[in-house]
Amino acid sequence: MHIDILDVFLVLLPSRQVFRRPNTASKASFLPPPPPPPPPSSSSSSSSSSSSSSLIYAMAVIHQLPISATIAALLAQLFGVVAMVLMFVWVLHFRGGINLGAENKSHIFNVHPFLMYVGYIFLSGEALMAFKIVWAEGWMQKLVHTVFNLIGLALAILGVYAVFKFHSDLNIPNVYSLHSWIGIGTISLFGFQWLMGFLLFWYPRATKELREKLAPWHALSGLVLFLLMICAAETGLVEIAAYDRLRRGEESRVVNFTGLFILLYGAAVTFAVLYRSSSNVI
Ligand code: HEM
């Protein structure tokens, strides 16, 4: 059984008889027909059917491209590490350092973006790609996936604790911004997702039928949560740039490039994950 996000879309697609799952054994021969042209007077339901057909077509085309999950995953490592270096430069060089117990409150705050990217987003991205980049048996890939996500969650909680501490030390209210709403929502859902995954796939472990049914949904919601983390990071960076009134200058360039490379990391991880899986992991 493949854990494949494509499965979810194939289930959702109204005209799914048009598209068949690509045959991994003969990828080159899988040429999905183009989506049917929209009717002249398209109603809302037919237009949504046509747009989901286009989506499936686009996803199926990914499997035809002369680029593999491995290349996408390698690009992801490159973008992810560049974003990490930029994050280091930002918090250490421009903002004085990271220290949860510091007298200087901004050093306490710096723990937040640092852990949210390096600890949470990067580790979650690696966990998502574990089924592509860990050259081991399915159960080992699954273990890496589970453990990386758990460490990411723990570091995210520590990262949010840092900003709560910073706020309470300076008497700043908590959870007032759009960024914090997206962030707190994402972490809560992520915790729930991890727990459900553990109960379903590890202990007490659901029946094979149920696991097969829910695995694509687990994969899809994991990817959506990962993209929400990226949104949270982008809004966080914009917020700090606005709050500190960063105008054109070295620090603002570092912040902008950090955001861009986090976005690129998200895009490359998404590409690697959407590319067909060939492992038997559930
Ligand atoms: C990586 C770059 C990030 C930066 C620069 C950043 C920046 C900030 C800033 C300036 C605040 C304080 C103001 C506010 O409450 O909005 C904050 C709070 C918060 N951030 Fe982030 N953030 C980042 C990533 C994330 C991520 C990835 C998440 C979660 C997925 C997150 C979750 C939160 C939460 C829950 C709060 C509210 C804490 C409170 O109200 O005390 N942040 N962040």
Side-chain angles (χ1 to χ4, degrees):
M1 164 70 191
H2 300 286
I3 291 185
D4 198 330
I5 290 159
L6 193 56
D7 292 328
V8 177
F9 289 100
L10 286 170
V11 170
L12 296 176
L13 184 69
S15 55
R16 62 179 177 275
Q17 67 280 8
V18 178
F19 298 94
R20 256 179 267 114
R21 288 168 55 91
N23 177 2
T24 23
S26 58
K27 266 187 211 148
S29 68
F30 175 68
L31 286 168
S41 61
S42 52
S43 68
S44 63
S45 72
S46 63
S47 74
S48 83
S49 150
S50 137
S51 64
S52 50
S53 299
S54 307
L55 178 61
I56 295 300
Y57 184 70
M59 292 178 76
V61 163
I62 286 178
H63 298 278
Q64 303 301 311
L65 297 176
I67 175 174
S68 70
T70 315
I71 294 176
L74 281 174
L75 278 175
Q77 305 304 330
L78 178 72
F79 297 144
V81 169
V82 172
M84 208 182 282
V85 171
L86 287 167
M87 178 62 83
F88 266 111
V89 170
W90 182 46
V91 291
L92 296 181
H93 178 67
F94 289 97
R95 302 188 73 89
I98 33 179
N99 183 352
L100 206 50
E103 281 298 310
N104 184 332
K105 303 298 174 205
S106 79
H107 294 184
I108 300 178
F109 171 78
N110 294 344
V111 174
H112 175 70
F114 176 76
L115 281 187
M116 297 322 271
Y117 175 64
V118 176
Y120 187 39
I121 297 182
F122 188 74
L123 276 188
S124 303
E126 301 303 299
L128 274 179
M129 292 188 298
F131 300 108
K132 316 283 171 167
I133 58 176
V134 175
W135 287 3
E137 306 234 340
W139 71 268
M140 178 52 92
Q141 296 176 326
K142 195 167 76 169
L143 184 66
V144 172
H145 174 76
T146 311
V147 171
F148 271 38
N149 273 324
L150 185 62
I151 298 174
L153 179 61
L155 294 176
I157 291 169
L158 189 60
V160 171
Y161 166 76
V163 77
F164 268 94
K165 182 172 179 343
F166 168 74
H167 278 181
S168 83
D169 286 359
L170 293 181
N171 276 328
I172 300 172
N174 288 315
V175 197
Y176 60 84
S177 62
L178 175 62
H179 164 72
S180 61
W181 290 8
I182 298 174
I184 212 109
T186 306
I187 292 177
S188 312
L189 290 171
F190 187 89
F192 179 73
Q193 160 95 348
W194 190 90
L195 188 66
M196 291 313 287
F198 186 79
L199 296 175
L200 271 174
F201 302 110
W202 285 107
Y203 187 80
R205 205 162 187 231
T207 59
K208 190 166 187 291
E209 293 70 42
L210 191 60
R211 277 185 279 131
E212 282 183 354
K213 208 167 163 191
L214 294 182
W217 290 101
H218 173 81
L220 179 65
S221 37
L223 182 59
V224 169
L225 284 173
F226 175 70
L227 295 175
L228 286 178
M229 282 173 213
I230 305 273
C231 277
E234 299 301 324
T235 51
L237 288 167
V238 169
E239 188 172 312
I240 201 110
Y243 187 83
D244 286 358
R245 294 172 190 274
L246 295 182
R247 296 283 179 263
R248 188 167 295 169
E250 269 186 25
E251 182 174 356
S252 102
R253 272 195 294 277
V254 170
V255 169
N256 290 356
F257 274 114
T258 307
L260 277 179
F261 275 95
I262 292 177
L263 266 185
L264 286 172
Y265 178 65
V269 169
T270 305
F271 199 105
V273 170
L274 286 179
Y275 205 90
R276 185 152 196 77
S277 165
S278 59
S279 58
N280 185 354
V281 286
I282 67 162

